[in-house]
Amino acid sequence: MALLVEMGWGGLVQYPDTITWTDISQYVSTARGINISRGAADELSETQPGTATLSLDNQDGRFTPGNSASPYYPFVRRNAPIRIAVAHIPTRSGAAPYPLAQLGDDFDDGRVDQALWPNSYGGVVEQGGVVRIPVSTAADAGLQSVRQWTLKGSRLTAKLVTVPKAGGSSNAAASMWVNSTTAGTRIGWRYDALTGVLAAMNQTAYFDGTPTSFTYSPIDHAWLRVRESAGTVYWETSADGFGWTVRRTLAAPAWVGSQTHAVEFPATRTGGTSDFIEWDLVGAIIKPRFWGMVNEFPIEWEGLSSRVTVTCTDLFKRLNRLPVLRSMAAEEVLASGPTAFYPLTEPSDSTSAGDLSGIGAGSLTIQQAGTGGTLAMAAAPGPPASEDQVPLFTPSSATAGKWLQADMGDSVKQWLTTGRPVFECWFQTTTGGRAIMGLASPDLQYVHVLSLSGGGQLQIEWTTTGETLSITPIPFTPGLADGNWHHVVFGQYSNFLFLDGALAMTGVPVTYGSDQRTLHIGGYRGTRLWSGSIAYVALYGVTQAAEARLAGHYKAGATGYAGESAAARIQRLARYAGVDSVTIIGDTFDPIASQAPGGTQVVARMREVESTESAKLYAERDYYGLAFQSRDLRYNPDPQSEVFTVTYADLEPGTSISDDDQKMVNSLQASRPGGATQRVTAPSSVAAFGLYEPQPLDILKTNDNSVLDAAYWVVSRYANPEPELREVAIEAYTMPNYLDILDADISSYFTVYGLPSQAPAPSMRVTVEGYTETIRERSHVIQFHTSASFKDSVWVLGDPVYSRLDSTTRLAY
C-alpha cells in the first residue's frame, strides 16, 4: 500500500477538469496518519461534510503560506484543492509467467529494484518517490524488466509524472512498451517531445502506420494503461488512475496470447539539451478516499522541526458558504449565463435596478416622460411561483409616465455583437399598444423592441438602418393584455420566439442587430409606456441556438417546477450551486413540490429533497460532484450485492450490539405544503413502550397519499427496533479482501459472520451509513457506522422470504 496525496496548487475546486495535480505524498507523516470522516452516524441522521486531517513535513518551508521560496508559491493558501487515495501495489504470486497486473513498483525506497528491473540501462535512478529516466544525448536509457510477464487478460499501468522537453533536439521521445520476443514488435504508448503528441501504438518492426495520436495533456493523461480482455487490446488514459477513458482498441495480435513479455520504459534523444522523464506507481490500483479543499495551512514547531497539520473538507464546505438562493425564476436565468440580468426585485425605496450577471452592465435608472405617472418598486407580486415583489408601472398615458433605461456598457455591447442577442422577460398588463423592452445602438441604427399591439398581440419592432421601425407581428399570440403573467424568449440567432414555454413562431423575419448597448424597460424612448409589471429581464449573447433551453424557464416562474422528480430537482439545485456532476443512484423518485421562493441556502433546499425522499445525499470521494441515492437502493438487500464479508474474529476490539430506544418512532405527524396534516401510529409499540414521537415531518410531497406513505415507512421501520451492530471496526490492510473493503461506501452492505454465541444471531448483515478511517504505514483501520439491513426489507408478492407483511417486511414506499 502507498499513499497518494495530491494538491491542486493554483486550481479551483469548482473547475476540477482544469486542475493540475502535484504529488506531495513524500511529505505526509505516515506515523501520525491520515484521518478521514465520511457519511452519517446512523440512517436517521443527515450525511455530514467529509473531512480529512493530515500532517505535512514543512522543514524547508514549502507549506508556509506567503513563502516566496516555496516551490508552490503563491498557491499555498486556504481552499487549495486536495485529493487523497490509497495506491495498492500488487506483488507477484504463483509461478512465472506472471500476469502483468502483478508487476508493481512505487519507487519509494531510493533504489531501482533489481529483481523487477534487472535489465535497466543508461543511468536510471529512483529519487523523490519516482523513477527518473534520462532523456540524454549521451546514450539511450530505459527501465526494463525481465521477460516473465503476460498481457493476456491483464494490464500494465503507470503514472506519467514528468515529460521531457524538446530541448532543441531533432528527436526526443519516451515510451511505455510491452515487448514481444521479436525486436520492434510491441504494444504501448509513445510521447514525442518535439510535437507534444502522445500516441497509442501497435508496432511491428518499430513502426505503426495507423497510431491513435493526440496532444498530450498533463491533466487528462496523467495515467496510462494498456490492457487485454477477451481478445481485444485497450489503450486507456486517466486523470486520477481511477476512472479510465478508452483511446484505442484493436484485436489482440497473436503474440499477446502466445508469448511471455518484457516491459520497458525507454527514452532517447538526438542532439539538443538532455533532461528526463519520470514515472511512478507502476501497476498501482487506485482507491480514492477523499476529494476536497484545505481549510488552512497552520504552521507548528517541535524544537527545530516544522510541521503543518491541515484539516480538509469536501465540496460541502463551498456549498455551505454560498449565499442564499434567489427565487427559482432568477436562479434559472443566472445558471444560464446571461450577458445582462435585471430581476427588478429591488426594495421599495430603490430608485434604480441593477444587473446580476457579473458581466458589469450599467444599472437601470428611472426616466420621466411628460408629467405624472408613477413607477413603484416592489409594489406588485411577481410571477405566480416566485413570491418576489416587482415594479408596478402606472403611466398617466402612453407618453406621460416613467420607464427604466440603462447604458449597459461596452462589455455587454461586445457580448451581444459577437453572439446574437436573445431577449427574455416576464410581463403582465391589461393595456395593449405598449412597449415591454427595447434594445438599441447609441446611434439608433440597430433597434429591436418587444411590444404588444393594441389588441394585445406580441410583436417585434426593428430596424438595422436607422429608419422607421418595421413591425413583425407574432401569430397566435393575441389577448396577452389579460392581466396574467406571461414569459417570452426571442432569439436573434435562430429567430425563434417562445411564449409561456411553447414555441410560438419559427423564422421570425427580423435581422439581428449589432453595437446595441442601450436598454429600455417599460417603454421605448418615452413612448408606449408600460402599464403593469415587468420582471426578470435578461439578455444573452449566444453563438449557438439556446432559445429552447431558455424557454424552459417559464416553469420556474409559473410552477416552480412542481411535479418534477426528486432526482431532477437535486440536479437543478446543484446547477444553481455550480456543480455539474451529480450521480443519481437508484430508480424510485417521487414528484416533488415547488421550492420556487428564494431566501434559503442551496444545501438547505437539497436537504429538504433528501428528507422528502428518505434518500441519501453526499459528496463523491473521487471527484468534485454529488451523489443522490434513492431509498429503493436499499430494498431487500441481495447477498450478491455485498461488497465484502468479514468474520467476528477479524474485527478490531470494541464491537458491540445495541438494543435501545435511540431510533424508536411509533407515532409520527406528517404534512406537506398546502396539504393535510396526518398522523400514523403503531398501537402495539405505543402500548408496549409508551409514545415515541419525534418532531413533525414536513415534506415536499405533491399529494396527501404520498405523505401518508412516507410517515408509514418511518413508523413501520422503527416502531420496535431490533438489536443491531452500529459500529464495526476493521484493520483492513491485513485482510485478504482489502480492496473490496475499500470499495464499501454509503449504503453498501456487508455481513459479519461467526458472532459469539451470546449474540442474537450467528451473523448480521449491515448497511454502511458512514465511516472514519485512519491510514498509517502498513495500517488502514476503518470504523464503519452501520445499521441493520433488515429494516429495508419490503414486501414482494409470492416471495418465500419477503411476502410476510409486517413480519419480515413492510410495504415499499
Side-chain angles (χ1 to χ4, degrees), residues 317-630:
K317 176 184 179 180
R318 178 175 178 271
L319 298 185
N320 279 322
R321 69 170 190 262
L322 292 176
V324 297
L325 292 176
R326 296 177 174 272
S327 67
M328 274 189 162
E331 292 294 342
E332 283 294 318
V333 174
L334 289 169
S336 297
T339 301
F341 176 41
Y342 300 93
L344 302 178
T345 54
E346 279 79 5
S348 60
D349 58 352
S350 298
T351 57
S352 59
D355 161 58
L356 297 185
S357 71
I359 301 297
S363 62
L364 291 160
T365 57
I366 298 175
Q367 308 292 310
Q368 176 73 52
T371 59
T374 61
L375 197 171
M377 305 297 284
S386 70
E387 294 190 12
D388 281 335
Q389 293 296 112
V390 299
L392 180 63
F393 298 78
T394 310
S396 297
S397 68
T399 56
K402 300 179 188 290
W403 84 98
L404 295 167
Q405 183 175 316
D407 178 353
M408 295 185 292
D410 192 62
S411 294
V412 172
K413 182 195 75 172
Q414 293 299 325
W415 275 91
L416 297 180
T417 300
T418 302
R420 297 188 183 182
V422 176
F423 294 5
E424 178 183 7
C425 72
W426 286 80
F427 64 88
Q428 176 270 330
T429 187
T430 57
T431 306
R434 305 298 174 94
I436 303 168
M437 60 182 292
L439 182 64
S441 59
D443 61 3
L444 301 181
Q445 178 179 351
Y446 299 98
V447 176
H448 292 80
V449 178
L450 186 65
S451 65
L452 293 184
S453 70
Q457 183 178 28
L458 204 59
Q459 56 189 21
I460 308 294
E461 304 173 43
W462 61 283
T463 181
T464 57
T465 63
E467 299 176 355
T468 302
L469 299 180
S470 300
I471 298 177
T472 301
I474 307 301
F476 313 114
T477 62
L480 298 181
D482 57 4
N484 296 318
W485 278 100
H486 297 284
H487 177 255
V488 63
V489 173
F490 168 59
Q492 296 177 41
Y493 187 90
S494 58
N495 280 12
F496 285 13
L497 188 141
F498 293 83
L499 178 67
D500 294 344
L503 182 62
M505 185 177 182
T506 62
V508 179
V510 173
T511 303
Y512 81 93
S514 62
D515 300 323
Q516 295 173 301
R517 60 187 288 171
T518 305
L519 178 65
H520 304 256
I521 296 175
Y524 176 66
R525 300 185 69 202
T527 64
R528 288 167 292 154
L529 298 177
W530 191 255
S531 178
S533 294
I534 298 172
Y536 310 122
V537 175
L539 295 168
Y540 305 82
V542 296
T543 55
Q544 59 180 346
E547 295 92 331
R549 175 173 51 83
L550 301 177
H553 296 174
Y554 170 69
K555 291 182 178 179
T559 68
Y561 297 105
E564 71 178 346
S565 75
R569 179 65 55 80
I570 285 291
Q571 291 172 313
R572 185 179 304 282
L573 294 171
R575 191 171 71 252
Y576 296 166
V579 179
D580 295 326
S581 176
V582 182
T583 303
I584 303 299
I585 308 171
D587 302 304
T588 300
F589 296 102
D590 286 356
I592 199 153
S594 168
Q595 292 175 294
T600 56
Q601 290 186 303
V602 67
V603 173
R605 293 198 188 185
M606 289 179 171
R607 293 301 188 190
E608 288 177 343
V609 179
E610 178 187 31
S611 174
T612 296
E613 285 294 284
S614 296
K616 293 293 178 183
L617 175 73
Y618 54 90
E620 299 278 19
R621 60 185 178 185
D622 64 315
Y623 191 70
Y624 182 76
L626 294 168
F628 186 58
Q629 295 179 349
S630 78

Side-chain angles (χ1 to χ4, degrees), residues 260-313:
T260 301
H261 320 311
V263 170
E264 185 176 12
F265 294 83
T268 183
R269 182 185 293 278
T270 303
T273 304
S274 298
D275 61 357
F276 52 83
I277 186 170
E278 293 177 325
W279 299 89
D280 196 8
L281 297 173
V282 169
I285 300 172
I286 303 301
K287 296 293 185 180
R289 308 309 297 168
F290 180 84
W291 206 110
M293 63 191 83
V294 176
N295 298 329
E296 63 171 331
F297 287 88
I299 305 165
E300 57 190 53
W301 288 270
E302 295 179 1
L304 297 179
S305 297
S306 175
R307 307 205 66 83
V308 172
T309 299
V310 298
T311 299
C312 319
T313 310

